[in-house]
C-alpha cells in the first residue's frame, strides 16, 4: 500500500511499475524540488534528476519496484551535492535564477531568509546537510533517512544534532522582530 | 532611541525556519513544460551531453586556435585550488586605467543631478562600502566623482574577479590568476569532473588603495570597440564592436555597476558566424544616470555554461525626455522574462503580459498604489497601451524629480490643506543614504492629514510626538526601529549591524515619499512609499503624480 510523505505527496512505497511514465509521474517533480535544496536553477536541478532516473533505469542496481524513491533521493542528493562542489557556485545574492516560479514578486524578506538558510545548509558537511534536508524538508522518519543515506539510525541522530548546532552558529539568532 | 529591538530566537524555532525555507525553495521549482521529453531523452542517451556543447564546440575550436597562437594571456595554467565559479559573459571592455582606481574605494552610480552631489557622494560611498563588505551582488564600485568604473573591490585578484563575475551574473565557470590577469574558462562537459572548458574571457585586474578590482573583460571572439559613455546621451547608448556568435548572433546587456540590476532590455545583434568576426552595432535604450557595464556575449542563455564575453564600463546620463516608468530590479534571466502584468493587484490575479527588464514607457493609471500584503501594486498602462497591474517594487521613475515638479507638489499640498507652514511634504532628498546621514525634518502635522498612500513598510511614531511636533526623518528612519529582517531586502545576505543594513537598504531605494495612512490621529503610524529610480536618490511618488496631471 502506498504511503505519502506528509507534505510533498511523494509516493515512497507502492506497487508502482518501474516504467518511465510511472516513475516520472510519481517522482520527477518531487525530485526536482529536492534538488533545488542544493542548486539554484531549474535547468541544473532537472539535469541532476534526469541523471538519477537514467541511472535507476540503467539497471545497474537492483531496486525493488515501489522502492525507487529512496534510491532516487540518494542519487539526487549526491548528484546535487557533487555539482555544487564541482562548480562552487556562489549564489548568495542571486534572487531570481532562471526557471524559477516565484520570480520577481516574492518579497525580499522571505527571499533573504530563505537564501540565508539554504546557504547555511549547503555549507554543512555532506551527511549533515542531507539529514537536515530529508528531515525538515521531506519530513522523513529516521528510519527512512537511514535507508536513503545508507547509514545507521544512530548516525542520523548524530548528524542531525551536529547539523542543527552548526546551523545555529551559522544563522545566529533569528532576525524577526516581535510586534510586526 | 536605543534598547532591545530583537527578540531572542529560541532554539526550537530553527526547525520551523528550516522547514519554511525548504518549502519556500521547493515552491519555486516546477519541472519545465518539456521535462518528460527531456527525461526520456536523457534516459535513452548513453552518454549525457550538454545542449550547450553543440554550439560551444566551434567556440572551443576558435579559442583553441587563439591560445595556440599565443594570443591574449599566453600560457594558461590551471590549479585546482584556484578554481572559482564564475558566470558567462562575453567581453571586451574599455579598460579603466589603473590610475583611475585611486578613487575607486567604492562603486556608485553617478547621480543625475549635481545639486546634492557632495552629500550623495558621501552617502553613496558609505552604502557601497557597506554592501561591499558582505554582498557580492552589491559589487559595483562607485568612484569618487570621475568617470572611472571598476568592478567590485576585493582583497585579492581572484576574489575581485569572482565578485565581478557575480555582478554580471556569470556563475558557471572557472577563473585562474595569471600574471595579474584572470583567465575565465567555462566548465567542461557535465559529468566530466576536472575537465576544463574553453577560455571565454580574460579579466584585467587593477590594484587600488583598497584592493583589487576588474577593469575590463576581453575575449578572443567578441570585442567592444565603442560604448558611448561618460557623457550625456539622448536616451540611447550606442555599442559597437566586432564578434562572432552562435549562428551569428550576439546579445548586448547593460548591468548596473552598483548592484547588477539590468538597466536596459537585452539587445540582440547580428554579428559574424563563428570563426568569422564581423562588426556589430547596438542601440541600447537608457534612462537616468548610471555607471554600468556593457556586456556583449555570444548568447544570453542560461544553459549552465559560460559563453565568450566582453565587458566594458560606461557611465552615462540620459537626457531623454521622461518616458514613463521603467522596470527595474528584475533580473535579466528572470524566469518570466520580466515583470508580470496582471489583471488585478496581487499575485493571485492572472498575468497577461510581461515587461522585460529595463522596459520604459510605462504609465501609471492611478493616483495611488493598491496595498496587497506587504507590497504595493500600481495600475499601469504598458507601452502597448494595455492596462494592468504590477508590483511597485519593480517600477522606477525614469528621471530625477525636477525643482518645478517639487514646487508643484508643494503648491498642491497647500491647496489641499495637507501642507502646514513648514517645509513641503515632498522635497528633494538625497535619500539613498543621506536620509539617515542628513535627516530631513518633516512636521508631523503634514504627515497626519493625508490618506491614501500606503506602504510596504510602516513604523510607529514616537509615543510622545504630537500632531504638531516635528518628527525628523532621522527619527522616522531610525535604524533601531527597523527590524533587520525588514531591511534584508532583495537578497542582502547579512550585515554586521542594523545601521549598515539600513544604509545599504536605502542605498538601493533611491526615492521615497512620506505619507500617513489615515487622518485619524489615533493611528500613530507613518507610512513610507518607497521606490527606486535609476537616476539615483530622488523623491518621486507624489511628484510623479503631479507631473502626470
Amino acid at each position: 500500500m502506498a504511503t505519502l510523505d506528509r507534505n510533498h505527496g511523494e509516493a515512497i512505497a507502492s506497487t508502482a511499475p518501474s516504467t518511465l511514465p510511472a516513475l516520472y509521474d510519481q517522482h520527477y517533480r518531487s525530485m526536482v524540488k529536492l534538488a533545488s535544496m542544493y542548486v539554484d536553477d531549474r535547468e541544473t536541478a532537472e539535469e541532476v534528476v534526469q541523471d538519477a532516473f537514467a541511472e535507476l533505469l540503467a539497471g545497474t542496481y537492483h531496486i525493488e519496484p515501489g522502492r525507487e524513491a529512496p534510491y532516487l533521493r540518494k542519487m539526487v542528493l549526491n548528484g546535487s551535492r557533487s555539482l555544487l562542489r564541482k562548480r562552487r557556485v556562489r549564489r548568495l545574492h542571486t534572487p531570481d535564477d532562471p526557471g524559477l516560479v516565484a520570480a520577481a514578486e516574492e518579497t525580499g524578506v522571505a527571499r533573504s531568509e530563505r537564501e540565508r538558510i539554504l546557504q547555511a545548509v549547503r555549507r554543512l558537511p555532506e551527511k549533515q546537510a542531507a539529514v537536515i534536508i530529508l528531515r525538515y524538508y521531506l519530513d522523513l522518519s529516521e528510519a527512512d533517512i537511514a535507508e536513503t543515506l545508507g547509514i545507521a539510525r544512530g548516525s542520523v541522530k548524530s548528524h542531525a544534532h551536529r547539523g542543527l548546532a552548526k546551523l545555529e552558529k551559522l544563522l545566529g539568532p533569528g532576525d524577526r522582530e516581535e510586534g510586526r | 532611541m536605543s534598547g532591545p529591538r530583537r527578540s531572542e530566537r529560541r532554539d526550537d524555532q530553527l526547525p520551523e525556519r528550516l522547514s519554511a525555507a525548504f518549502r519556500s525553495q521547493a515552491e519555486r521549482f516546477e519541472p519545465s513544460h518539456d521535462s518528460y521529453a527531456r527525461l526520456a531523452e536523457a534516459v535513452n542517451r548513453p552518454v549525457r551531453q550538454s545542449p550547450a556543447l553543440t554550439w560551444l564546440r566551434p567556440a572551443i575550436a576558435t579559442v583553441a586556435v587563439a591560445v595556440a597562437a599565443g594570443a591574449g594571456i599566453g600560457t594558461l595554467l590551471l590549479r585546482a585550488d584556484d578554481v572559482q565559479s564564475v558566470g558567462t559573459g562575453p567581453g571586451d571592455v574599455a579598460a579603466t586605467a589603473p590610475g583611475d582606481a585611486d578613487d575607486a574605494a567604492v562603486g556608485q552610480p553617478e547621480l543625475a543631478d549635481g545639486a546634492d552631489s557632495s552629500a550623495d557622494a558621501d552617502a553613496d560611498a558609505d552604502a557601497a562600502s557597506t554592501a561591499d563588505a558582505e554582498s557580492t551582488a552589491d559589487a559595483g564600485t562607485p568612484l569618487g566623482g570621475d568617470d572611472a568604473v571598476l568592478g567590485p573591490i576585493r582583497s585579492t585578484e581572484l576574489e575581485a574577479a569572482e565578485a565581478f563575475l557575480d555582478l554580471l551574473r556569470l556563475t558557471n565557470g572557472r577563473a585562474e590568476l595569471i600574471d595579474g590577469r584572470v583567465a575565465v574558462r567555462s566548465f567542461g562537459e557535465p559529468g566530466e569532473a576536472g575537465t576544463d572548458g574553453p577560455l571565454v574571457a580574460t579579466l584585467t585586474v587593477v590594484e587600488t588603495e583598497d584592493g583589487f578590482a576588474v577593469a575590463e573583460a576581453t575575449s578572443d571572439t567578441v570585442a567592444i570597440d565603442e560604448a558611448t559613455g561618460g557623457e550625456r546621451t539622448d536616451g540611447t547608448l550606442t555599442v559597437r564592436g566586432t564578434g562572432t556568435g552562435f549562428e551569428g548572433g550576439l546579445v548586448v546587456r547593460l548591468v548596473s555597476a552598483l548592484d547588477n540590476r539590468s538597466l536596459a532590455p537585452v539587445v540582440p545583434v547580428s554579428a559574424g558566424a563563428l570563426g568569422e568576426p564581423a562588426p556589430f552595432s547596438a542601440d541600447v535604450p537608457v534612462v537616468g544616470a548610471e555607471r554600468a557595464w556593457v556586456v556583449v556575449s555570444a548568447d544570453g542563455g542560461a544553459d549552465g555554461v559560460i559563453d565568450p564575453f566582453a565587458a566594458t564600463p560606461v557611465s552615462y546620463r540620459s537626457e531623454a525626455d521622461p518616458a514613463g516608468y521603467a522596470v527595474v530590479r528584475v533580473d535579466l534571466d528572470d524566469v518570466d522574462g520580466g515583470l508580470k502584468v496582471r489583471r488585478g493587484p496581487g499575485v493571485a490575479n492572472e498575468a497577461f503580459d510581461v515587461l522585460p527588464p529595463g522596459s520604459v514607457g510605462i504609465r501609471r493609471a492611478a493616483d495611488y498604489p493598491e496595498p496587497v500584503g506587504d507590497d504595493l501594486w500600481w495600475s499601469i498602462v504598458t507601452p502597448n497601451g494595455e492596462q494592468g497591474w504590477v508590483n511597485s517594487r519593480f517600477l522606477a521613475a525614469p528621471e530625477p524629480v525636477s525643482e518645478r515638479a517639487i514646487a508643484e507638489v508643494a503648491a498642491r499640498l497647500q491647496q489641499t490643506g495637507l501642507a502646514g507652514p513648514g517645509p513641503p511634504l515632498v522635497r528633494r532628498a538625497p535619500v539613498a543614504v543621506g536620509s539617515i546621514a542628513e535627516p530631513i525634518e518633516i512636521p508631523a502635522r503634514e504627515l497626519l492629514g493625508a490618506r491614501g498612500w500606503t506602504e510596504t513598510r510602516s513604523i510607529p511614531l514616537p509615543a510622545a510626538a504630537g500632531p504638531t511636533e516635528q518628527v525628523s526623518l532621522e527619527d522616522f528612519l531610525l535604524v533601531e526601529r527597523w527590524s533587520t529582517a525588514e531591511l534584508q531586502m532583495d537578497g542582502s545576505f547579512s550585515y554586521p549591524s542594523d545601521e549598515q543594513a539600513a544604509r545599504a537598504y536605502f542605498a538601493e531605494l533611491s526615492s521615497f515619499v512620506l505619507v500617513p495612512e489615515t487622518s485619524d490621529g489615533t493611528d500613530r503610524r507613518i507610512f513610507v512609499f518607497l521606490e527606486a529610480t535609476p537616476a539615483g536618490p530622488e523623491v518621486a511618488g507624489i511628484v510623479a503624480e503631479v507631473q502626470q496631471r
Side-chain angles (χ1 to χ4, degrees), chain A residues 7-8 19-25 28-30 32-55 57-58 82-83 85-124 129 131-139 163-180, chain B residues 5-33 35-36 38-40 42-43 45 48 50-51 80-86 134-137 162-163 166 169 171-174 187-195 260 302-304 329-331 333-336 338-340 342 347 374-375 377 391 393-394 458-460 480-494:
Chain A
N7 295 324
H8 309 285
T19 61
L20 186 58
L23 288 172
Y24 173 86
D25 287 341
Y28 190 90
R29 181 169 177 266
S30 62
V32 169
K33 291 175 180 288
L34 179 59
S36 77
M37 300 304 136
Y38 283 111
V39 298
D40 274 336
D41 69 88
R42 183 176 66 182
E43 178 86 11
T44 306
E46 292 203 59
E47 284 179 8
V48 168
V49 174
Q50 288 161 11
D51 284 346
F53 272 69
E55 281 236 21
L57 292 171
S82 171
L83 197 68
R85 189 168 50 237
K86 176 183 167 191
R87 296 189 173 181
R88 296 188 184 181
V89 174
R90 297 179 69 255
R91 294 177 184 268
L92 289 182
H93 309 286
T94 52
D96 292 312
D97 279 329
L100 305 188
V101 172
E105 288 160 343
E106 183 178 28
T107 69
V109 174
R111 177 187 303 166
S112 175
E113 168 79 349
R114 183 189 65 232
E115 289 181 353
R116 285 189 68 209
I117 289 177
L118 286 173
Q119 289 300 326
V121 170
R122 291 168 189 175
R123 289 183 205 169
L124 293 177
V131 169
I132 293 292
I133 289 170
L134 292 173
R135 182 166 179 175
Y136 295 110
Y137 168 57
L138 288 183
D139 210 3
L164 285 175
K166 185 155 189 186
L167 286 174
E168 290 264 11
K169 191 175 176 182
L170 287 172
L171 293 170
D175 290 320
R176 297 167 195 167
E177 185 173 37
E178 290 186 350
R180 292 191 178 277
Chain B
R5 54 188 184 280
R6 293 182 186 177
S7 62
E8 288 298 322
R9 183 183 56 72
R10 298 185 303 272
D11 290 346
D12 59 6
Q13 289 183 328
L14 182 56
E16 178 188 337
R17 291 173 67 195
L18 289 170
S19 294
F22 292 155
R23 284 196 304 272
S24 169
Q25 174 76 344
E27 285 169 4
R28 305 165 70 215
F29 281 68
E30 290 293 342
S32 53
H33 67 283
S35 58
Y36 182 78
R38 293 168 60 203
L39 173 62
V43 167
R45 189 168 51 215
R48 237 181 115 58
S50 165
D81 55 348
D82 278 339
V83 169
Q84 302 287 329
S85 173
V86 290
E134 291 292 332
S135 165
T136 56
E162 190 176 352
D166 278 349
R169 303 182 60 78
T171 54
N172 293 316
R174 309 166 191 274
F187 283 115
E189 189 165 351
E192 296 179 3
T195 59
N260 86 8
D303 50 17
R329 304 160 75 92
V330 177
D331 292 334
D333 51 2
D334 182 87
V335 60
D336 298 316
L339 179 60
K340 287 181 179 175
R342 297 181 179 275
V347 295
D374 291 335
D375 287 314
W377 288 71
N391 189 327
R393 191 187 301 279
F394 307 102
S458 62
I459 310 171
E480 286 138 342
R481 296 180 184 280
W482 296 74
S483 75
T484 299
E486 278 182 307
L487 290 166
Q488 287 179 340
M489 303 295 291
D490 305 310
S492 302
F493 185 63
S494 62

Side-chain angles (χ1 to χ4, degrees), chain B residues 179-261:
Chain B
D179 296 333
R181 288 187 168 195
V182 176
V184 180
R185 290 176 171 278
S186 73
F187 283 115
E189 189 165 351
E192 296 179 3
T195 59
D196 299 311
L199 176 72
V200 293
T202 301
L203 309 183
T204 298
V205 180
V206 297
E207 185 170 7
T208 74
E209 289 181 350
D210 302 287
F212 295 91
V214 172
E216 67 170 340
T218 62
S219 80
D220 295 316
T221 56
V222 185
I224 301 173
D225 300 326
E226 174 191 356
T228 307
E231 58 191 65
R232 298 186 177 197
T233 79
D234 60 357
T236 299
L237 193 68
T238 300
V239 180
R240 292 193 179 90
T242 57
T244 66
F246 180 58
E247 295 183 346
L250 299 174
V251 293
V252 180
R253 296 188 292 147
L254 191 63
V255 180
S256 167
L258 175 64
D259 59 5
N260 86 8
R261 285 175 298 142

Side-chain angles (χ1 to χ4, degrees), chain B residues 409-451:
Chain B
V409 170
R412 176 169 170 264
L413 291 172
Q414 290 287 353
Q415 291 168 3
T416 59
L418 296 181
L425 172 63
V426 180
R427 36 186 306 190
R428 183 177 295 278
V431 179
V433 209
S435 59
I436 296 172
E438 298 184 4
I440 300 168
E441 292 188 341
I442 301 175
R445 60 185 299 178
E446 292 187 357
L447 297 171
L448 293 176
R451 61 188 301 277

Side-chain angles (χ1 to χ4, degrees), chain B residues 323-327 355 359-364 380-383 390 395:
Chain B
Y325 281 71
V327 172
L355 299 169
S359 293
V360 296
I362 300 157
R363 305 282 178 181
R364 285 179 177 172
I380 55 112
V381 177
T382 71
V390 296
L395 274 190

